[in-house]
Amino acid sequence: SQLFPIIECGFVYSTKTSSPSIDQNEGNVAAQIVDSEFTGVIPFERPQTGSVKYYIRGYAKNANGIKYTSYKSVNVLWND
């Protein structure tokens, strides 16, 4: 079987859709691969008031194309 190494990986996030992609997102963060897992830091903005829900998906790109994980969501909350 032929192996196709990962060319690029990272995370995309959005407040508008639960299916952010490389083409449609509000942010894209590159990741590093360590011990067969990829990690990165997403610099979420502090909301002016209340909370903001972000939808996050990981992605990996190789010679065959791009694959995405299912989304995870996180609420960023600011208390005055």
Side-chain angles (χ1 to χ4, degrees):
S1 110
Q2 188 174 6
L3 296 178
F4 295 95
I6 293 174
I7 300 167
E8 175 187 329
C9 64
F11 300 93
V12 288
Y13 59 91
S14 175
T15 59
K16 296 175 176 59
T17 177
S18 61
S19 300
S21 66
I22 289 177
D23 295 330
Q24 292 187 324
N25 66 69
E26 290 171 53
N28 184 344
V29 175
Q32 294 181 343
I33 301 173
V34 178
D35 296 330
S36 299
E37 294 183 359
F38 60 94
T39 61
V41 176
I42 301 173
F44 291 130
E45 298 277 327
R46 183 183 85 188
Q48 294 294 321
T49 59
S51 67
V52 176
K53 180 180 273 190
Y54 287 93
Y55 300 95
I56 308 159
R57 293 203 306 171
Y59 71 89
K61 183 189 294 187
N62 69 14
N64 286 330
I66 301 169
K67 292 291 184 185
Y68 293 94
T69 65
S70 57
Y71 78 87
K72 298 292 183 187
S73 64
V74 63
N75 285 313
V76 177
L77 178 65
W78 177 251
N79 292 324
D80 292 331

